[in-house]
Amino acid sequence: MSDNGFKGKVAIVTGAATGIGFEIARQLATRGASVMLNDLDSEVLQKALARIREEGGDCESAAGDAGDPGYIERLVAKTVECFGRVDLAVANAGLTRFSSILDIEPSDLQSMLDLNLKGSVFLAKYAARQMIGQGDGGRILFMSSVTGHQAHPDAVCYGMTKAALRMLAKGLVVELAGHGITTNAISPGATTTERTLAGDAQFEAKWIETTPTGRVTAPIDIASTALWLLSPEAAQITGQTIVVDGGWTATSEVPNFSH
Ligand SMILES: NC(=O)c1ccc[n+]([C@@H]2O[C@H](COP(=O)([O-])OP(=O)(O)OC[C@H]3O[C@@H](n4cnc5c(N)ncnc54)[C@H](O)[C@@H]3O)[C@@H](O)[C@H]2O)c1
């Protein structure tokens, strides 16, 4: 894809201050898209905005809760106000609450349902309305997870929300494909982000043991796949989920967390 492949396109990326979302926003901006970065953490968001601008990217930021439908409606409206349109919507923000089913609390489940599902559904709703009004198609991308494909210890409820996103991407084809709007999902495997590295100093070492390619997934691996799905080249791909995990789901061996 050329450096200017996204020139004139306007993107929204939720959870874009760090990790996978930041890398998707950065790569889109590098290739000419105007990007609205959302995150709950306004301080880190400002740093992300400054970094992308330093690299020459055209971007704005909107701090807020991507799991709140009212806020999502305002986020889409603000994007149109700033950049005039919306072509690409990436529902990246997600929440992980690891827990056994024996210990899960209603608040843990509710927070995952709110952000992972409600946030994604309502970004799709308001972005699709805008795209349909514009009349020249668009791209909606959801961030699923390998835990939505394979069972994983203490991730049954998180995995359930991520599996639902695959069906959301597929089901939306019925309503949106005729408008030229593609709806797809990416399922990252264990990915080195600020959160995963801070949560476990051995994160990389452990996952290398059970990842067939011999390395863990990096945000750029997910961003490269995202950019392709968001590009004009992927116009005929919709309703699909692409797993980016170095082959982990082929074997699904879980690392030994006891060492
Ligand atoms: N990192 C992984 O190993 C991995 C694996 C599979 C799937 N995923 C999924 O990929 C996505 C990104 O993961 P990550 O590890 O890069 O991100 P993360 O969990 O570290 O969060 C990224 C950003 O989202 C923001 N955020 C949190 N709650 C928010 C909210 N309510 N509204 C707006 N922003 C909010 C955070 O402040 C953070 O800057 C998530 O949906 C996650 O479930 C990640």
Side-chain angles (χ1 to χ4, degrees):
M1 191 183 308
S2 78
D3 283 355
N4 260 344
F6 284 95
K7 188 105 189 119
K9 299 288 184 195
V10 174
I12 298 173
V13 184
T14 63
T18 64
I20 292 168
F22 173 74
E23 197 55 40
I24 293 172
R26 180 170 170 244
Q27 294 298 328
L28 282 168
T30 299
R31 286 166 180 75
S34 300
V35 186
M36 176 60 77
L37 283 79
N38 151 266
D39 206 279
L40 193 56
D41 185 331
S42 53
E43 206 174 305
V44 189
L45 184 61
Q46 285 316 303
K47 287 185 188 153
L49 186 76
R51 186 164 162 207
I52 295 177
R53 283 182 173 164
E54 270 165 30
E55 294 175 1
D58 181 24
C59 53
E60 294 290 342
S61 68
D65 182 356
D68 172 357
Y71 167 76
I72 288 289
E73 184 175 14
R74 294 194 297 280
L75 175 66
V76 172
K78 181 174 176 176
T79 307
V80 175
E81 208 178 286
C82 289
F83 298 123
R85 53 187 295 115
V86 176
D87 303 287
L88 321 167
V90 183
N92 167 73
L95 191 74
T96 315
R97 292 270 184 266
F98 288 111
S99 173
S100 153
I101 194 69
L102 305 179
D103 299 321
I104 188 96
E105 295 291 343
S107 58
D108 293 329
L109 179 60
Q110 193 60 53
S111 59
M112 289 190 284
L113 294 174
D114 282 347
L115 183 57
N116 302 2
L117 295 187
K118 208 197 284 177
S120 298
V121 166
F122 283 91
L123 182 59
K125 169 181 172 171
Y126 292 113
R129 283 183 170 202
Q130 175 64 29
M131 290 169 188
I132 290 169
Q134 291 165 186
D136 50 8
R139 301 276 180 272
I140 298 173
L141 184 62
F142 303 106
M143 206 51 71
S144 181
S145 164
V146 291
T147 59
H149 298 251
Q150 304 289 357
H152 189 286
D154 293 335
V156 62
C157 292
Y158 171 69
M160 171 187 76
T161 66
K162 292 297 184 174
L165 291 174
R166 297 165 55 200
M167 194 59 218
L168 179 60
K170 191 184 276 191
L172 286 175
V173 165
V174 175
E175 288 189 67
L176 301 182
H179 294 282
I181 301 169
T182 69
T183 54
N184 291 295
I186 295 176
S187 288
T191 305
T192 50
T193 64
E194 289 86 336
R195 173 181 59 87
T196 54
L197 294 175
D200 180 358
Q202 296 301 309
F203 179 84
E204 202 165 351
K206 282 176 189 168
W207 281 101
I208 281 172
E209 285 176 22
T210 58
T211 302
T213 54
R215 71 171 178 88
V216 284
T217 302
I220 188 65
D221 295 311
I222 310 301
S224 306
T225 309
L227 257 69
W228 176 62
L229 286 171
L230 295 170
S231 75
E233 285 86 346
Q236 194 64 354
I237 297 164
T238 191
Q240 304 303 308
T241 298
I242 298 188
V243 177
V244 184
D245 70 345
W248 181 77
T249 41
T251 57
S252 307
E253 194 188 339
V254 175
N256 180 359
F257 286 102
S258 62
H259 66 270

